[in-house]
Amino acid sequence: MDKSVWVGTWRPHRPRGPIAALHSGPGPKYMLPTNTGYKMHDPSRFRAPAFSFGIKIPEQSTTCGPGPGHLIPERMTVRGPNGGPAYSLYGRPRDGRLFRTPGPGRYFPERATNVAYPKPPGHSMAGRTKAFQAAGTPGPAAYSVPSLLGCRLIHKTSAPTYSISGRTSLGSFCQDLSKTPGPCAYQEVNPGVYKTKAPQFTMQPRTFTQDITKKPGPAAYYPQQFRQTPGPSFGIRHSEYQAPLIMDPQE
């Protein structure tokens, strides 16, 4: 093939992708939207103003009233009633009261302070109106401010938080894989079993014998009534009248 026939760098080649023109379509099967009318008009085309035809109003078989030749008052012409001036009899009206102009003493210039003289704005303390009481506007206390503690903050950057949980026996260092019983699983053995047993004492209440006989007390005895036997006594060996031994001091 002569290369001088082709202009540019394009040369015939296989298409890289499917081309719709190379495939057969269903033909004029799909109906395009209409360009006439108002409903279902093609949105990509300009829509001209549309007019509708009205219906014919049927003629009324009955009239609203007689023609202009009926019920015409007497002496009535096109320009108004015909005839001379007419008068009527009425009662005498009452005399109007004279206007009494107020004198200089009826005016009070000192009371016109708000109009005649400048005055600063004044405020008064009045009760709350009913319309304000009926208003259901929530106050500042009706809104709850979100807490700044924790990790679930919406409008603030939360710092890392930590939680302290209980120790689990599953997978921890204290997990007993062999299921060996601990010291608490054994009952306490009395030391008197394997050692010399010490004496044991019990604390019991005092027992009283039921003796109903009357026994004499210390006041029932009289020792002075009995004869006393002679008994030894402690005395002195020397006489009470013996002079003491006095010796001269040695040099």
Side-chain angles (χ1 to χ4, degrees), residues 228-244:
Q228 296 182 0
T229 59
S233 61
F234 294 94
I236 56 176
R237 295 181 179 181
H238 56 81
S239 176
E240 297 179 1
Y241 303 100
Q242 185 180 0

Side-chain angles (χ1 to χ4, degrees), residues 14-184:
R14 290 180 177 273
R16 298 178 180 178
I19 300 176
L22 300 178
H23 303 277
S24 59
K29 178 180 179 182
Y30 303 99
M31 182 179 295
L32 297 176
T34 179
N35 293 334
T36 59
Y38 184 81
K39 296 181 180 181
M40 302 299 294
H41 192 275
D42 190 359
S44 62
R45 297 291 185 269
F46 177 75
R47 184 175 59 190
F51 304 94
S52 61
F53 295 93
I55 60 175
K56 185 177 181 181
I57 302 176
E59 296 180 359
Q60 296 182 359
S61 59
T62 58
T63 58
C64 297
H70 299 274
L71 301 177
I72 298 176
E74 297 180 356
R75 297 181 181 181
M76 183 62 65
T77 61
V78 179
R79 296 179 179 84
N82 185 17
Y87 303 93
S88 60
L89 298 177
Y90 292 97
R92 179 178 293 179
R94 296 180 180 181
D95 297 335
R97 295 182 179 180
L98 299 177
F99 180 73
R100 297 179 181 181
T101 305
R106 299 290 298 176
Y107 299 96
F108 301 94
E110 64 276 1
R111 298 181 182 179
T113 56
N114 298 339
V115 180
Y117 304 99
K119 183 180 180 182
H123 306 276
S124 60
M125 301 293 293
R128 182 175 293 178
T129 59
K130 294 182 179 180
F132 184 79
Q133 293 179 358
T137 304
Y143 302 94
S144 60
V145 181
S147 177
L148 298 179
L149 301 177
C151 58
R152 298 181 180 179
L153 299 180
I154 302 175
H155 60 291
K156 296 291 183 180
T157 302
S158 59
T161 56
Y162 305 93
S163 61
I164 301 176
S165 59
R167 179 183 296 175
T168 59
S169 59
L170 182 62
S172 63
F173 68 93
C174 61
Q175 183 180 2
D176 190 6
L177 300 178
S178 60
K179 303 299 180 181
T180 305
C184 296

